[in-house]
Amino acid sequence: MGAARSAAATAKPVGAARCAAATGQNEGVYVLVRRASDGEFLVDTLDEAGIPRAAVRRLTLSAFLSFVASVEPSTPAPRWVWDDTALIYPTLLAGGIRVRRCYDLRLCHVILKNSALTMTSELALAAPDRWDVASSPASDQAVPRATLFDFDATSVDDGTGESTAREFRRQLDAVASAGEPGRLRLLLAAESSGALVAAEMRYAGLPWRTDVHDLLLTRELGARVALGVRPERLETLAQCIRSELDDAALNPDSPQELIKALQRAGLAVTSTRGWELKKLQHPVIEPLLQYKKLSRLLSANGWTWMESWVVDGRFHADYVPGGVVTGRWATRGGGALQLPRQIRGAVVADDGWKFVVADAAQLEPRILAALAQDTGMARAGRGTDLYAGIVSSGVVETRDHAKVAMLGAMYGATTGESGRLMPRLARAYPQAIALTESAARAGERGEVVTTRLGRSSPIPGPGWHESQAQAYHQEATATDERRARSQARDWGRFTRNFIVQGSAAEWALCWIAEIRRELTALTIADAPPGLPGESGSRAERSASPGARAPFNSTPHLVFFLHDEVIVHTPAVHADAVVQIVTTAAETAGRLLFGDFPVDFMLTVATVDNYAQAK
């Protein structure tokens, strides 16, 4: 039951090296940037091997901004190499400067340190250092560990920037030593581009109308009251809950009190989770579920949230690229990844502007079809809703059945309706189901699985291995064996989904990177000759007084949620942006899977506020 490092459950490469080359990852020059402890910037150019071409220059802030502004327009654009995009790029944005490409050493380090493709590299075998402390992603969907935010860009500074240059060379060597370096180059480029997008979205902000937000909250909750006092509708529901449970002193916000009250009413409950409450039959259930829903709205996105997070008409979400172990993003407060429907109407485009909202339909099942090279599953989703296509193929009777079965395949549900339908799915799409089963078995053995481009799952912790070893001990009890089997199955469910969710995250990164690149090209094309992309008469006519330069007159990404994006654009560019977003999805599919015939379909809407898109 050892923890062998392997690339188990990785799809066969489909033109990965060709796709990586197509992104221009090896073109142009590297420019190494590091902020010194005295606040100045250490800058040097590097060759393709990461070797400095000349002595490091020390630049003041103003000199650094002038340098970047003068070098960035070069063709091809330089690739800026720095410790952490989140620490360097906001300074450039505040100076009105955007860059086209970068290489984020912190994000790339964690990928290369843990990838099965680079397991024999010097970087992977080296003892932990400051880069490892700085690069620990969360192992679940929650907020990342605090260490992810403790990265000190000035630590171990020798005054020359050599420590950063040395790390960059280690990373270049690790990629070069990989069996399929093209896959990793594409992943590192996409991850770094995602860091640029995250910084730009935080700086530009998501347009937000606090007056509309207040109206929506009042409609849902009642008039605003003092902090700590329940709004009218919540208090009415609380009184109803107390009446139904015959407990005048009950605090419905206390899970312990609520569980005891429900049990006294004859209900067998062990938690107050919504899914468990929905199984029960009692007059208190409906008002209780409504109370929980509205209470969540008040605490997560109520008036206090609005005053804390919306500044000058913009919600400045603090995204954390790579914050989840699968490569998905997390956020550091603000809940940008969970904006409830009740308040989406407050997300309002500026006058003369529009939102282009796009989300990828059934992204993870389509990723699974492409990973497994399952032409039957890909065919079911060609030009149509994938679940409807599965029904049309005669595999199951209803769309709900298709969805339940597919979720079971990707998340390991073996009981209930999903377990009943899984054999049909396996017969219809044997390659896809075999891929997820193989990944699950690898996880149960404690092995590593790897995504399409090269991000590998972590190995289980020491406690997991101890439990597995104990189960084989001659003195093992039935309890030991059950515990070991349960833990093995749990880890297998994790690795089963890791390859799909992680590969979907890679597709999404390529998608937003391509959107960003094409939006920049659209801006430049719209400008008169000789002027920067954000200038020009047409751009000036559509300029937004509520937006920050350099985003006050150009289409730009303002929101990203796993498989969904929002672009804020002058109305005159809306049709062009729709085309860019749609074409970018097709390009992302080709980058990951070459010519394999799988459709990545989008639902796209051009709207004045976010609520209109759903």
PDB file of all heavy atoms in Angstrom, residues 446-469:
ATOM      1  N   GLY A 446      -2.657   4.685  -2.725  1.00  0.00           N
ATOM      2  CA  GLY A 446      -1.792   5.755  -2.236  1.00  0.00           C
ATOM      3  C   GLY A 446      -0.901   6.340  -3.303  1.00  0.00           C
ATOM      4  O   GLY A 446       0.078   7.016  -2.988  1.00  0.00           O
ATOM      5  N   GLU A 447      -1.229   6.124  -4.565  1.00  0.00           N
ATOM      6  CA  GLU A 447      -0.414   6.625  -5.662  1.00  0.00           C
ATOM      7  C   GLU A 447      -0.872   8.017  -6.105  1.00  0.00           C
ATOM      8  O   GLU A 447      -1.948   8.482  -5.734  1.00  0.00           O
ATOM      9  CB  GLU A 447      -0.478   5.655  -6.843  1.00  0.00           C
ATOM     10  CG  GLU A 447       0.117   4.285  -6.531  1.00  0.00           C
ATOM     11  CD  GLU A 447      -0.108   3.283  -7.649  1.00  0.00           C
ATOM     12  OE1 GLU A 447      -0.769   3.641  -8.648  1.00  0.00           O
ATOM     13  OE2 GLU A 447       0.355   2.140  -7.510  1.00  0.00           O
ATOM     14  N   VAL A 448      -0.041   8.627  -6.932  1.00  0.00           N
ATOM     15  CA  VAL A 448      -0.301   9.967  -7.442  1.00  0.00           C
ATOM     16  C   VAL A 448      -0.961   9.868  -8.811  1.00  0.00           C
ATOM     17  O   VAL A 448      -0.620   8.998  -9.619  1.00  0.00           O
ATOM     18  CB  VAL A 448       1.027  10.753  -7.550  1.00  0.00           C
ATOM     19  CG1 VAL A 448       0.864  12.008  -8.393  1.00  0.00           C
ATOM     20  CG2 VAL A 448       1.534  11.121  -6.163  1.00  0.00           C
ATOM     21  N   VAL A 449      -1.914  10.741  -9.074  1.00  0.00           N
ATOM     22  CA  VAL A 449      -2.490  10.871 -10.413  1.00  0.00           C
ATOM     23  C   VAL A 449      -2.186  12.270 -10.933  1.00  0.00           C
ATOM     24  O   VAL A 449      -1.920  13.189 -10.160  1.00  0.00           O
ATOM     25  CB  VAL A 449      -4.006  10.601 -10.433  1.00  0.00           C
ATOM     26  CG1 VAL A 449      -4.308   9.182  -9.997  1.00  0.00           C
ATOM     27  CG2 VAL A 449      -4.763  11.615  -9.576  1.00  0.00           C
ATOM     28  N   THR A 450      -2.234  12.420 -12.258  1.00  0.00           N
ATOM     29  CA  THR A 450      -1.772  13.656 -12.883  1.00  0.00           C
ATOM     30  C   THR A 450      -2.774  14.161 -13.907  1.00  0.00           C
ATOM     31  O   THR A 450      -3.350  13.374 -14.664  1.00  0.00           O
ATOM     32  CB  THR A 450      -0.400  13.419 -13.552  1.00  0.00           C
ATOM     33  OG1 THR A 450       0.532  13.025 -12.541  1.00  0.00           O
ATOM     34  CG2 THR A 450       0.125  14.672 -14.238  1.00  0.00           C
ATOM     35  N   THR A 451      -2.958  15.464 -13.941  1.00  0.00           N
ATOM     36  CA  THR A 451      -3.890  16.090 -14.864  1.00  0.00           C
ATOM     37  C   THR A 451      -3.347  16.091 -16.290  1.00  0.00           C
ATOM     38  O   THR A 451      -2.218  15.670 -16.547  1.00  0.00           O
ATOM     39  CB  THR A 451      -4.160  17.540 -14.456  1.00  0.00           C
ATOM     40  OG1 THR A 451      -2.920  18.267 -14.520  1.00  0.00           O
ATOM     41  CG2 THR A 451      -4.725  17.618 -13.046  1.00  0.00           C
ATOM     42  N   ARG A 452      -4.132  16.601 -17.196  1.00  0.00           N
ATOM     43  CA  ARG A 452      -3.772  16.621 -18.611  1.00  0.00           C
ATOM     44  C   ARG A 452      -2.436  17.311 -18.844  1.00  0.00           C
ATOM     45  O   ARG A 452      -1.614  16.838 -19.623  1.00  0.00           O
ATOM     46  CB  ARG A 452      -4.876  17.334 -19.418  1.00  0.00           C
ATOM     47  CG  ARG A 452      -4.574  17.465 -20.909  1.00  0.00           C
ATOM     48  CD  ARG A 452      -4.599  16.101 -21.578  1.00  0.00           C
ATOM     49  NE  ARG A 452      -4.170  16.172 -22.977  1.00  0.00           N
ATOM     50  CZ  ARG A 452      -2.935  15.956 -23.386  1.00  0.00           C
ATOM     51  NH1 ARG A 452      -1.989  15.674 -22.501  1.00  0.00           N
ATOM     52  NH2 ARG A 452      -2.649  16.012 -24.669  1.00  0.00           N
ATOM     53  N   LEU A 453      -2.195  18.440 -18.168  1.00  0.00           N
ATOM     54  CA  LEU A 453      -0.978  19.201 -18.446  1.00  0.00           C
ATOM     55  C   LEU A 453       0.150  18.938 -17.459  1.00  0.00           C
ATOM     56  O   LEU A 453       1.270  19.390 -17.697  1.00  0.00           O
ATOM     57  CB  LEU A 453      -1.283  20.700 -18.493  1.00  0.00           C
ATOM     58  CG  LEU A 453      -2.226  21.139 -19.617  1.00  0.00           C
ATOM     59  CD1 LEU A 453      -2.403  22.658 -19.600  1.00  0.00           C
ATOM     60  CD2 LEU A 453      -1.723  20.683 -20.986  1.00  0.00           C
ATOM     61  N   GLY A 454      -0.123  18.249 -16.346  1.00  0.00           N
ATOM     62  CA  GLY A 454       1.002  17.879 -15.493  1.00  0.00           C
ATOM     63  C   GLY A 454       0.910  18.238 -14.032  1.00  0.00           C
ATOM     64  O   GLY A 454       1.891  18.086 -13.302  1.00  0.00           O
ATOM     65  N   ARG A 455      -0.234  18.673 -13.545  1.00  0.00           N
ATOM     66  CA  ARG A 455      -0.379  18.921 -12.105  1.00  0.00           C
ATOM     67  C   ARG A 455      -0.723  17.599 -11.425  1.00  0.00           C
ATOM     68  O   ARG A 455      -1.680  16.928 -11.804  1.00  0.00           O
ATOM     69  CB  ARG A 455      -1.474  19.953 -11.836  1.00  0.00           C
ATOM     70  CG  ARG A 455      -1.464  20.495 -10.389  1.00  0.00           C
ATOM     71  CD  ARG A 455      -2.695  21.345 -10.111  1.00  0.00           C
ATOM     72  NE  ARG A 455      -2.846  22.428 -11.046  1.00  0.00           N
ATOM     73  CZ  ARG A 455      -2.392  23.667 -10.873  1.00  0.00           C
ATOM     74  NH1 ARG A 455      -1.737  23.967  -9.766  1.00  0.00           N
ATOM     75  NH2 ARG A 455      -2.603  24.594 -11.797  1.00  0.00           N
ATOM     76  N   SER A 456       0.060  17.230 -10.411  1.00  0.00           N
ATOM     77  CA  SER A 456      -0.136  15.933  -9.758  1.00  0.00           C
ATOM     78  C   SER A 456      -0.795  16.088  -8.397  1.00  0.00           C
ATOM     79  O   SER A 456      -0.614  17.091  -7.699  1.00  0.00           O
ATOM     80  CB  SER A 456       1.194  15.199  -9.610  1.00  0.00           C
ATOM     81  OG  SER A 456       1.710  14.832 -10.869  1.00  0.00           O
ATOM     82  N   SER A 457      -1.529  15.063  -8.019  1.00  0.00           N
ATOM     83  CA  SER A 457      -2.204  15.057  -6.724  1.00  0.00           C
ATOM     84  C   SER A 457      -1.184  14.854  -5.609  1.00  0.00           C
ATOM     85  O   SER A 457      -0.120  14.266  -5.820  1.00  0.00           O
ATOM     86  CB  SER A 457      -3.240  13.940  -6.683  1.00  0.00           C
ATOM     87  OG  SER A 457      -2.612  12.674  -6.827  1.00  0.00           O
ATOM     88  N   PRO A 458      -1.496  15.311  -4.401  1.00  0.00           N
ATOM     89  CA  PRO A 458      -0.604  15.046  -3.266  1.00  0.00           C
ATOM     90  C   PRO A 458      -0.710  13.593  -2.834  1.00  0.00           C
ATOM     91  O   PRO A 458      -1.674  12.902  -3.168  1.00  0.00           O
ATOM     92  CB  PRO A 458      -1.142  15.989  -2.185  1.00  0.00           C
ATOM     93  CG  PRO A 458      -2.593  16.141  -2.522  1.00  0.00           C
ATOM     94  CD  PRO A 458      -2.666  16.118  -4.028  1.00  0.00           C
ATOM     95  N   ILE A 459       0.286  13.134  -2.107  1.00  0.00           N
ATOM     96  CA  ILE A 459       0.213  11.795  -1.532  1.00  0.00           C
ATOM     97  C   ILE A 459      -0.540  11.882  -0.203  1.00  0.00           C
ATOM     98  O   ILE A 459      -0.560  12.935   0.439  1.00  0.00           O
ATOM     99  CB  ILE A 459       1.607  11.184  -1.320  1.00  0.00           C
ATOM    100  CG1 ILE A 459       2.448  12.050  -0.369  1.00  0.00           C
ATOM    101  CG2 ILE A 459       2.325  10.997  -2.643  1.00  0.00           C
ATOM    102  CD1 ILE A 459       3.776  11.450  -0.001  1.00  0.00           C
ATOM    103  N   PRO A 460      -1.190  10.820   0.208  1.00  0.00           N
ATOM    104  CA  PRO A 460      -1.875  10.851   1.508  1.00  0.00           C
ATOM    105  C   PRO A 460      -0.880  11.097   2.638  1.00  0.00           C
ATOM    106  O   PRO A 460       0.316  10.804   2.520  1.00  0.00           O
ATOM    107  CB  PRO A 460      -2.495   9.452   1.608  1.00  0.00           C
ATOM    108  CG  PRO A 460      -2.509   8.916   0.216  1.00  0.00           C
ATOM    109  CD  PRO A 460      -1.330   9.534  -0.477  1.00  0.00           C
ATOM    110  N   GLY A 461      -1.389  11.608   3.740  1.00  0.00           N
ATOM    111  CA  GLY A 461      -0.533  11.907   4.882  1.00  0.00           C
ATOM    112  C   GLY A 461      -0.100  10.675   5.654  1.00  0.00           C
ATOM    113  O   GLY A 461      -0.573   9.564   5.401  1.00  0.00           O
ATOM    114  N   PRO A 462       0.792  10.872   6.630  1.00  0.00           N
ATOM    115  CA  PRO A 462       1.308   9.739   7.410  1.00  0.00           C
ATOM    116  C   PRO A 462       0.220   8.927   8.100  1.00  0.00           C
ATOM    117  O   PRO A 462       0.306   7.701   8.178  1.00  0.00           O
ATOM    118  CB  PRO A 462       2.232  10.415   8.437  1.00  0.00           C
ATOM    119  CG  PRO A 462       2.618  11.721   7.802  1.00  0.00           C
ATOM    120  CD  PRO A 462       1.426  12.148   7.005  1.00  0.00           C
ATOM    121  N   GLY A 463      -0.810   9.604   8.613  1.00  0.00           N
ATOM    122  CA  GLY A 463      -1.883   8.887   9.298  1.00  0.00           C
ATOM    123  C   GLY A 463      -2.601   7.907   8.389  1.00  0.00           C
ATOM    124  O   GLY A 463      -2.988   6.807   8.816  1.00  0.00           O
ATOM    125  N   TRP A 464      -2.758   8.272   7.121  1.00  0.00           N
ATOM    126  CA  TRP A 464      -3.404   7.389   6.153  1.00  0.00           C
ATOM    127  C   TRP A 464      -2.571   6.130   5.953  1.00  0.00           C
ATOM    128  O   TRP A 464      -3.087   5.008   5.987  1.00  0.00           O
ATOM    129  CB  TRP A 464      -3.559   8.142   4.831  1.00  0.00           C
ATOM    130  CG  TRP A 464      -4.345   7.437   3.771  1.00  0.00           C
ATOM    131  CD1 TRP A 464      -5.680   7.568   3.521  1.00  0.00           C
ATOM    132  CD2 TRP A 464      -3.851   6.508   2.789  1.00  0.00           C
ATOM    133  NE1 TRP A 464      -6.060   6.787   2.453  1.00  0.00           N
ATOM    134  CE2 TRP A 464      -4.950   6.118   1.977  1.00  0.00           C
ATOM    135  CE3 TRP A 464      -2.599   5.969   2.507  1.00  0.00           C
ATOM    136  CZ2 TRP A 464      -4.824   5.225   0.918  1.00  0.00           C
ATOM    137  CZ3 TRP A 464      -2.478   5.073   1.464  1.00  0.00           C
ATOM    138  CH2 TRP A 464      -3.563   4.704   0.670  1.00  0.00           C
ATOM    139  N   HIS A 465      -1.277   6.313   5.783  1.00  0.00           N
ATOM    140  CA  HIS A 465      -0.391   5.162   5.554  1.00  0.00           C
ATOM    141  C   HIS A 465      -0.309   4.275   6.801  1.00  0.00           C
ATOM    142  O   HIS A 465      -0.223   3.045   6.685  1.00  0.00           O
ATOM    143  CB  HIS A 465       1.000   5.652   5.143  1.00  0.00           C
ATOM    144  CG  HIS A 465       1.037   6.221   3.764  1.00  0.00           C
ATOM    145  ND1 HIS A 465       0.938   5.450   2.632  1.00  0.00           N
ATOM    146  CD2 HIS A 465       1.147   7.503   3.339  1.00  0.00           C
ATOM    147  CE1 HIS A 465       0.993   6.224   1.560  1.00  0.00           C
ATOM    148  NE2 HIS A 465       1.116   7.472   1.960  1.00  0.00           N
ATOM    149  N   GLU A 466      -0.344   4.884   7.963  1.00  0.00           N
ATOM    150  CA  GLU A 466      -0.309   4.094   9.195  1.00  0.00           C
ATOM    151  C   GLU A 466      -1.551   3.217   9.298  1.00  0.00           C
ATOM    152  O   GLU A 466      -1.480   2.038   9.695  1.00  0.00           O
ATOM    153  CB  GLU A 466      -0.207   5.025  10.399  1.00  0.00           C
ATOM    154  CG  GLU A 466       1.147   5.717  10.522  1.00  0.00           C
ATOM    155  CD  GLU A 466       1.154   6.765  11.621  1.00  0.00           C
ATOM    156  OE1 GLU A 466       0.125   6.881  12.341  1.00  0.00           O
ATOM    157  OE2 GLU A 466       2.162   7.484  11.753  1.00  0.00           O
ATOM    158  N   SER A 467      -2.711   3.793   8.934  1.00  0.00           N
ATOM    159  CA  SER A 467      -3.949   3.008   8.987  1.00  0.00           C
ATOM    160  C   SER A 467      -3.918   1.856   7.990  1.00  0.00           C
ATOM    161  O   SER A 467      -4.368   0.743   8.295  1.00  0.00           O
ATOM    162  CB  SER A 467      -5.151   3.911   8.684  1.00  0.00           C
ATOM    163  OG  SER A 467      -5.341   4.870   9.698  1.00  0.00           O
ATOM    164  N   GLN A 468      -3.371   2.105   6.801  1.00  0.00           N
ATOM    165  CA  GLN A 468      -3.295   1.036   5.806  1.00  0.00           C
ATOM    166  C   GLN A 468      -2.352  -0.073   6.268  1.00  0.00           C
ATOM    167  O   GLN A 468      -2.645  -1.259   6.114  1.00  0.00           O
ATOM    168  CB  GLN A 468      -2.810   1.603   4.458  1.00  0.00           C
ATOM    169  CG  GLN A 468      -3.679   2.706   3.889  1.00  0.00           C
ATOM    170  CD  GLN A 468      -5.129   2.294   3.735  1.00  0.00           C
ATOM    171  OE1 GLN A 468      -5.452   1.326   3.051  1.00  0.00           O
ATOM    172  NE2 GLN A 468      -6.016   3.033   4.403  1.00  0.00           N
ATOM    173  N   ALA A 469      -1.219   0.322   6.844  1.00  0.00           N
ATOM    174  CA  ALA A 469      -0.262  -0.674   7.316  1.00  0.00           C
ATOM    175  C   ALA A 469      -0.850  -1.496   8.474  1.00  0.00           C
ATOM    176  O   ALA A 469      -0.668  -2.719   8.558  1.00  0.00           O
ATOM    177  CB  ALA A 469       1.028   0.003   7.764  1.00  0.00           C
TER     178      ALA A 469
END
